[in-house]
Amino acid sequence: GPFECIDEVPLPYADYTAFVQAGGSAYSDCGLDLNSFRVEESSSGSCPTTITREYFITDLCGIDTSCTQVILVDDQKPPVIVNTPGDLTVDCKDNIPAPYLNYNEFMMAGGEATDNCVNVYLRHVGDSPFIGNGCPTNIVRTYRIYDDCNNPVYYNQTITIDDTEAPVLVQAPRDTITVCDRSTINSFLDFERAGGVVTDNCGIDTSSCERISQVPLGGPICPITFVNTYRIKDNCGNPVEFIHRVTVSDDIPPVMTAPASITIELAAVTPGTFSS
């Protein structure tokens, strides 16, 4: 059968003796010039590769004769994955590592593959879309590992994105004195305008700013302070809470408008005239 690898192909016969030991033969009535034995080799194709060896010998009368040996090399075995770098977990989408660019980087990360014909290569095929909404979510990264004859085996690496670190409240918003409003923070923009600062390792979900409780202090009417508790989340739903106090103190008197004036007309009465 054919050889699987070029490295397995034996060298050409070094001399006529080795040629004969391998089963070859030559004959001439004039006798053979054994020192004239030689070989010419050519090859064509790639996987399979055909190697053609033509052996020549000259008889003692100077006449050449030759024979041809054809060797087929065809590797159909893919590499075998021995070790993989394993799946990965990162906290943010921005921290997803770049794919391995070649087999050497794959190997440096702990991967290993072997092949019957020695050489192994690697190519990043692509990444899947994000699987699942929110956190955790993941992608599947696919690599193609192949040999000199392009026989492939595939390796899938799952990368999970899971942020469990809560935002950090750097500065709470300033307390507020209002006339009527019990809550002056109704959005993340309001939070920032009031001096609030929050940071997160993976980014803030600015739409998540919400009031979760309101407790009145003092009163019963004016002045009265409302202690508002808010919650802000990051993109993975990890929360941080803060308190914002709003004091309602109304010293503006009410404005009163009287009803329109009313004119009443009485009926005419003749003096000295009575009825009984």
Side-chain angles (χ1 to χ4, degrees), residues 36-269:
S36 68
F37 182 83
R38 72 187 192 280
V39 60
E40 294 180 2
E41 182 176 287
S42 62
S43 63
S44 62
S46 175
C47 299
T49 298
T50 300
I51 300 174
T52 302
R53 291 175 178 171
E54 189 169 5
Y55 292 95
F56 297 87
I57 195 168
T58 304
D59 63 15
L60 295 177
C61 295
I63 300 174
D64 281 340
T65 189
S66 66
C67 65
T68 299
Q69 180 186 43
V70 177
I71 301 171
L72 184 66
V73 184
D74 190 15
D75 174 24
Q76 297 183 2
K77 291 183 179 179
V80 175
I81 297 176
V82 179
N83 291 309
T84 65
D87 296 336
L88 302 175
T89 298
V90 298
D91 53 0
C92 310
K93 290 181 179 180
D94 291 343
N95 292 335
I96 296 174
Y100 310 125
L101 296 179
N102 49 52
Y103 178 74
N104 185 59
E105 290 189 4
F106 171 80
M107 186 174 61
M108 293 283 288
E112 181 184 0
T114 61
D115 188 70
N116 59 317
C117 293
V118 181
N119 292 324
V120 178
Y121 311 92
L122 175 140
R123 182 172 64 85
H124 172 227
V125 176
D127 295 347
S128 73
F130 285 99
I131 301 171
N133 297 319
C135 289
T137 184
N138 57 64
I139 63 171
V140 177
R141 176 166 287 172
T142 301
Y143 293 94
R144 185 176 189 270
I145 299 172
Y146 56 101
D147 59 17
D148 284 323
C149 281
N150 210 30
N151 298 304
V153 63
Y154 292 89
Y155 160 56
N156 290 328
Q157 181 184 49
T158 298
I159 301 176
T160 300
I161 301 91
D162 189 15
D163 173 25
T164 59
E165 185 174 340
V168 175
L169 182 68
V170 178
Q171 180 173 294
R174 297 178 297 273
D175 292 344
T176 304
I177 298 176
T178 68
V179 174
C180 297
D181 287 344
R182 297 182 177 188
S183 174
T184 59
I185 295 179
N186 300 301
S187 66
F188 188 78
L189 182 59
D190 290 341
F191 166 80
E192 290 186 317
R193 285 172 174 171
V197 178
V198 65
T199 62
D200 186 74
N201 59 321
C202 297
I204 296 295
D205 177 7
T206 57
S207 67
S208 69
C209 183
E210 62 175 346
R211 190 184 68 194
I212 58 176
S213 69
Q214 185 178 79
V215 178
L217 297 178
I221 302 176
C222 285
I224 183 171
T225 298
F226 293 91
V227 180
N228 298 303
T229 301
Y230 289 85
R231 178 182 293 137
I232 294 176
K233 299 178 182 179
D234 63 14
N235 290 322
C236 278
N238 300 302
V240 65
E241 295 180 2
F242 66 92
I243 290 175
H244 182 241
R245 294 174 177 85
V246 177
T247 299
V248 178
S249 180
D250 182 6
D251 58 1
I252 302 174
V255 177
M256 177 178 287
T257 302
S261 299
I262 301 175
T263 301
I264 300 176
E265 294 184 0
L266 299 176
V269 178

Side-chain angles (χ1 to χ4, degrees), residues 9-37:
V9 177
L11 295 173
Y13 306 121
D15 51 36
Y16 182 72
T17 300
F19 175 79
V20 172
Q21 289 175 347
S25 64
Y27 173 78
S28 174
D29 290 336
C30 295
L32 298 172
D33 178 6
L34 301 184
N35 292 327
S36 68
F37 182 83

